[in-house]
Amino acid sequence: MAAARVAIAKSLAASRTTVVAGAAAARSFSSFPDYVLRAPTTDVSTLDNGLRVGSETVAGSETATVGVWIDAGSRYETAANNGTSHFLEHMAFKGTTKRTQQQLEMEIENMGGHLNAYTSREQTAYFAKVFKKDVGKAVEIISDILLNSKMEQAAIDREREVILREMSEVNKNQEELVLDHLHATAFQGTSLGRTILGSEENIRSLTRDDLVNYINTQYTAPRMVIAGAGAVDHAELCGLAAEHFGKLSPGPPGGVELAMEPAVFTGSDYRVKFNSESVAHMAIAFPTASWTSEYAFPLMLMQLMLGSYDRAHGMGRNHASNLCQDVAENEIAYSLNTFNTCYKDTGLFGVYAVVPDNKVDDASWYIMNNLIRLVHSPSDAEVERAKVSLKAAMLMNLDGHNNVAEEIGRSLLNYGRRMTPAEIFSRIDAVETSDIRATAYKFFNDQELAIAAVGGIHELPDYTWFRRHSYWLRY
């Protein structure tokens, strides 16, 4: 009997706990604004070949964005074919077996649409923004340029020069250049360390067979998502996907999936010094967590806590961020930007700064000091302020069908589902100051880091200085 009474008591306690937890969750959700709770739903379906279709219908909209997001980017390339995914992005618009380049451009213009594409380290996307009545035609055009591209040798040779000119322009953008150097030194010897455009040697030597082999290996149905937002009917979009992408292979030739090369971080630095330059462009970063890590939301908040600064914008010492206050009060940098880049199995969290050459030493100290301060003394007030900022940024990112379609495509590839605004708000609210300290301790405290710098960097301390300043001695 005593055992029975204990069991009943435990059962009642568990029931009370469940009720209390449910009530707390209900109170948490009920505190959210109505526009968060009543956000449009995302419909997701999977075709027989493994292709996923996701859409968000916006009532009353007369335009739509539809596109294909592919789990393929420079990370899935080898040293020999690095640059292939970006090369294919260029070749997609150069004519198909059904349309010449001119016919393709005229068809898009005649329906008032916009066709675009981009390539990143882990994903490639092709998408179009069109009127409601042209959604079917847009899906057909995207399937045509993806699956039926002619890739004539003359067009390939012409595009080499276009990509080399693009590379020249990218190298003039110091921020992109420094962040490429940062990846190259942080993930040296791995695919994540290679650039998206590829090397000049590869651009000049890639063949049509290289491009075709990459398509056959990477552009398989389970690695692709058809995403739509705006004036889109989900059932109709599924039908269009089945019609135009239904014959996509459910796997690569031979059935052997290409394994993703793991990202191996190496604590190191990369320096390009120009004594004639009076400005330094520098990036300091720690290896962090993937998209799906439990640390993802604390890292997002930490990015906003450190903030961004631009001397031209006039906020000066009134910035909420301690780092930005330090930079403004001491006139240390022209601009500063905190970045938090996530990948499938790793990430990079750090600060990029544009600094006068005679303030590089001071900038290094203030940046490291503020990064390590998060290990020891982040305040409740700055965490709450970051939560509000992150919620606002999340909602602002949903303005426009392009942004929504991109989020659906990327979310299905990264998470396998799309989080609702209410879930995102709940996850943000669940982060406490102690979580910020724990996250900073795990990734920053006495950890290896990577540095990349270009320009007037004669004051930049050596790697061992940064390594010593990755912890505080506290007695």
Side-chain angles (χ1 to χ4, degrees):
M1 288 295 292
R5 283 195 297 271
V6 170
I8 292 170
K10 286 182 177 179
S11 176
L12 289 172
S15 299
R16 284 195 296 271
T17 302
T18 303
V19 170
V20 169
R27 283 196 301 274
S28 173
F29 274 82
S30 66
S31 65
F32 293 154
D34 187 62
Y35 56 80
V36 171
L37 297 176
R38 297 182 181 276
T41 58
T42 303
D43 299 307
V44 180
S45 302
T46 304
L47 304 186
D48 292 340
N49 60 359
L51 179 72
R52 286 166 289 177
V53 182
S55 67
E56 178 184 293
T57 303
V58 180
S61 178
E62 289 299 320
T63 62
T65 297
V66 289
V68 179
W69 274 258
I70 310 169
D71 202 7
S74 61
R75 185 168 186 188
Y76 295 93
E77 300 165 351
T78 65
N81 71 353
N82 179 218
T84 303
S85 54
H86 179 259
F87 208 120
L88 281 171
E89 176 199 326
H90 279 251
M91 294 306 301
F93 304 101
K94 297 299 177 281
T96 70
T97 55
K98 294 171 62 176
R99 299 173 172 90
T100 65
Q101 179 178 351
Q102 183 180 11
Q103 287 171 333
L104 175 64
E105 292 171 357
M106 290 292 292
E107 195 165 348
I108 290 293
E109 287 186 11
N110 287 342
M111 62 184 185
H114 297 277
L115 184 63
N116 210 338
Y118 67 81
T119 307
S120 67
R121 283 185 163 82
E122 289 189 337
Q123 293 173 4
T124 303
Y126 299 83
F127 55 96
K129 188 171 181 65
V130 294
F131 284 114
K132 179 179 180 178
K133 64 183 177 64
D134 295 319
V135 167
K137 186 181 289 187
V139 174
E140 189 272 326
I141 289 174
I142 292 172
S143 73
D144 192 30
I145 65 175
L146 272 177
L147 307 179
N148 304 314
S149 181
K150 289 179 72 174
M151 288 188 286
E152 296 173 328
Q153 189 59 50
I156 292 174
D157 292 336
R158 284 196 304 271
E159 211 58 29
R160 297 187 202 280
E161 299 305 317
V162 174
I163 296 173
L164 288 171
R165 286 198 299 272
E166 182 182 348
M167 178 185 287
S168 177
E169 292 302 314
V170 167
N171 288 339
K172 292 176 185 176
N173 183 324
Q174 294 293 345
E175 182 171 2
E176 287 196 37
L177 181 65
V178 168
L179 292 180
D180 275 345
H181 289 329
L182 183 69
H183 279 78
T185 192
F187 301 110
Q188 54 190 269
T190 71
S191 57
L192 199 54
R194 302 185 193 112
T195 63
I196 295 169
L197 271 63
S199 65
E200 181 177 345
E201 179 184 357
N202 281 8
I203 293 169
R204 293 191 183 280
S205 62
L206 284 172
T207 66
R208 186 180 190 279
D209 287 343
D210 293 326
L211 302 180
V212 172
N213 289 339
Y214 187 86
I215 290 174
N216 293 336
T217 305
Q218 304 292 344
Y219 287 16
T220 57
R223 299 176 67 115
M224 301 173 76
V225 170
I226 308 291
V232 176
D233 178 78
H234 184 70
E236 179 189 357
L237 188 61
C238 288
L240 292 167
E243 178 185 353
H244 299 297
F245 292 90
K247 294 181 180 179
L248 265 177
S249 170
V256 180
E257 285 284 349
L258 184 67
M260 181 180 71
E261 186 178 348
V264 179
F265 181 85
T266 303
S268 54
D269 60 354
Y270 185 99
R271 300 160 187 250
V272 182
K273 184 169 73 169
F274 295 106
N275 290 329
S276 59
E277 290 282 337
S278 60
V279 176
H281 300 262
M282 54 190 285
I284 303 165
F286 289 89
T288 52
S290 68
W291 287 104
T292 56
S293 167
E294 66 269 32
Y295 298 103
F297 278 89
L299 285 166
M300 293 179 198
L301 292 172
M302 289 159 60
Q303 178 187 8
L304 292 168
M305 290 166 68
L306 291 173
S308 299
Y309 166 81
D310 192 320
R311 187 181 291 184
H313 290 170
M315 280 191 69
R317 63 192 67 188
N318 297 316
H319 271 280
S321 157
N322 283 8
L323 173 58
C324 293
Q325 286 179 20
D326 290 339
V327 169
E329 289 173 358
N330 296 283
E331 298 185 349
I332 288 170
Y334 297 117
S335 64
L336 176 145
N337 180 45
T338 307
F339 58 87
N340 173 39
T341 306
C342 291
Y343 298 106
K344 286 195 170 182
D345 57 347
T346 187
L348 278 179
F349 184 104
V351 176
Y352 168 81
V354 181
V355 185
D357 63 337
N358 63 342
K359 295 290 183 74
V360 172
D361 187 41
D362 291 340
S364 302
W365 188 89
Y366 278 110
I367 290 171
M368 291 302 298
N369 188 65
N370 277 278
L371 282 166
I372 305 308
R373 185 187 67 82
L374 296 179
V375 177
H376 302 283
S377 56
S379 69
D380 293 339
E382 59 184 327
V383 173
E384 290 304 315
R385 187 165 48 240
K387 287 182 180 181
V388 174
S389 296
L390 182 55
K391 289 176 183 178
M394 292 285 190
L395 290 179
M396 289 177 192
N397 195 44
L398 299 181
D399 285 346
H401 302 328
N402 280 11
N403 291 344
V404 174
E406 180 175 7
E407 192 193 319
I408 292 172
R410 294 179 64 179
S411 294
L412 291 179
L413 291 177
N414 292 326
Y415 305 119
R417 67 187 184 90
R418 185 189 179 200
M419 286 185 280
T420 64
E423 181 184 350
I424 292 172
F425 275 37
S426 294
R427 289 180 179 273
I428 293 171
D429 286 338
V431 179
E432 299 179 353
T433 306
S434 59
D435 298 318
I436 299 296
R437 286 197 295 270
T439 303
Y441 181 85
K442 177 177 178 63
F443 295 114
F444 301 166
N445 193 64
D446 198 15
Q447 299 296 320
E448 300 292 339
L449 69 162
I451 304 111
V454 174
I457 57 171
H458 54 275
E459 272 197 6
L460 187 68
D462 62 16
Y463 181 84
T464 56
W465 182 95
F466 284 97
R467 189 64 181 81
R468 287 198 309 272
H469 285 77
S470 66
Y471 55 86
W472 286 358
L473 295 176
R474 301 174 67 87
Y475 298 99

